[in-house]
Amino acid sequence: MTAGSGDALIEVEGVKRIFGRGSGAVTVLHDVSLEIPAGKLIAFKGRSGSGKTTLMNLLSTLDRPTEGRVCFEGQDLTGLSDRERDEIRRTQMGLVFQSFALIPLMSAYENVEFVLRISGIPAREREAAAIAALDLVGLKPRMHHRPFELSGGEQQRTAIARAIAHKPKLILADEPTAELDSRTGLHIIKVFRDLVQQGLTVVITTHDPAIMEIVDHVYELEDGRIVANH
Ligand SMILES: Nc1ncnc2c1ncn2[C@@H]1O[C@H](COP(=O)(O)OP(=O)(O)OP(=O)(O)O)[C@@H](O)[C@H]1O
Ligand SMILES: [Mg+2]
């Protein structure tokens, strides 16, 4: 794949991310260029500290590169205002954070419903969409429990339900199967595969070799560089 081939949902061009300044500055991404083709399941793999989460945060508009560009549907995200970036993220993207980031006082159902509300889904559609997403990840029977009453894997699946419920164009999931046993992990990847079948684009980070087999494309990171691509 070459940059600008036209069917990419996201293009990353010459991206550098440096944290800190002066003698304390750390370069976490060095000249990263890649494409996320539309309608595919893509994985980032690499050791702890290789830069996967940093790269995900740039794709999701939560962070900006120090140098280089990130384009979403041909639009340069780096030039947009915070408000424009928020709007794209809320309406077009679904994020699954490595730390889940569930709201503790809300049940699994309310966590999902809340995101539908802020992404602008009409009230009459929200209940069915939230329940459908929780059902897809196998959590419907537990949906009225709050995060502290759920296991780590159930919290992770709630976070996934929350990211997919509004049927975003792009799902960015950071280690979405880390807390899951291999069978439940494969079930979640199948949920992602079904969404890709419906035309969504999914990017995950993972260490799991079994999952690497099922994705369409793997970018391998080492010390903030893409070292392999297959
Ligand atoms: N805000 C920050 N300030 C300084 N250094 C940072 C910051 N965020 C991340 N880093 C450093 O950047 C490097 C890459 O971090 P990142 O979280 O992207 O790794 P990762 O590949 O996601 O690792 P893991 O598999 O453990 O989640 C690490 O060395 C980390 O300490
Ligand atoms: Mg990480």
Side-chain angles (χ1 to χ4, degrees), residues 25-155:
V26 197
T27 305
V28 172
L29 295 175
H30 306 258
D31 194 28
V32 170
S33 296
L34 56 84
E35 283 193 355
I36 306 296
K40 301 277 186 205
L41 177 52
I42 306 292
F44 293 152
K45 85 175 233 200
R47 282 211 193 95
S48 180
S50 58
K52 303 181 298 295
T53 296
T54 305
L55 182 54
M56 283 293 218
N57 289 342
L58 296 175
L59 302 187
S60 68
T61 79
L62 287 171
D63 188 25
R64 292 174 192 266
T66 312
E67 276 177 33
R69 315 199 296 161
V70 179
C71 297
F72 180 77
E73 297 191 302
Q75 185 174 34
D76 185 357
L77 293 174
T78 42
L80 299 181
S81 67
D82 288 346
R83 183 191 279 246
E84 289 166 324
R85 292 155 63 90
D86 289 348
E87 174 73 12
I88 291 175
R89 188 170 59 250
R90 274 190 296 118
T91 59
Q92 322 255 26
M93 299 183 184
L95 311 189
V96 182
F97 296 96
Q98 204 166 1
S99 55
F100 315 149
L102 299 174
I103 300 168
L105 290 176
M106 291 185 179
S107 68
Y109 169 80
E110 287 163 339
N111 265 277
V112 176
E113 200 269 347
F114 179 66
V115 168
L116 291 170
R117 206 180 318 167
I118 61 174
S119 63
I121 307 292
R124 62 182 183 281
E125 295 169 23
R126 292 202 289 259
E127 183 178 352
I131 293 173
L134 286 155
D135 196 21
L136 266 181
V137 300
L139 217 71
K140 199 172 158 193
R142 305 278 295 157
M143 70 182 189
H144 294 304
H145 293 268
R146 294 192 202 166
F148 72 90
E149 299 166 328
L150 298 171
S151 72
E154 288 167 344
Q155 291 176 42

Side-chain angles (χ1 to χ4, degrees), residues 1 34-35 42-45 217-221 226 228-229:
M1 275 180 289
L34 56 84
E35 283 193 355
I42 306 292
F44 293 152
K45 85 175 233 200
H217 198 84
V218 179
Y219 286 109
E220 197 174 331
L221 280 143
I226 307 281
N229 172 357

Side-chain angles (χ1 to χ4, degrees), residues 9-10 36 39-44 56 59-60 72 89 91-97 136 159-174 176 188 191-196 198-205:
L9 183 65
I10 298 186
I36 306 296
K40 301 277 186 205
L41 177 52
I42 306 292
F44 293 152
M56 283 293 218
L59 302 187
S60 68
F72 180 77
R89 188 170 59 250
T91 59
Q92 322 255 26
M93 299 183 184
L95 311 189
V96 182
F97 296 96
L136 266 181
I160 293 165
R162 188 177 58 174
I164 64 182
H166 62 302
K167 289 276 165 71
K169 259 187 205 145
L170 172 68
I171 294 167
L172 297 168
D174 200 358
I188 290 300
V191 170
F192 286 150
R193 268 249 84 97
D194 288 346
L195 294 170
V196 165
Q198 295 169 36
L200 275 71
T201 304
V202 180
V203 182
I204 63 170
T205 68

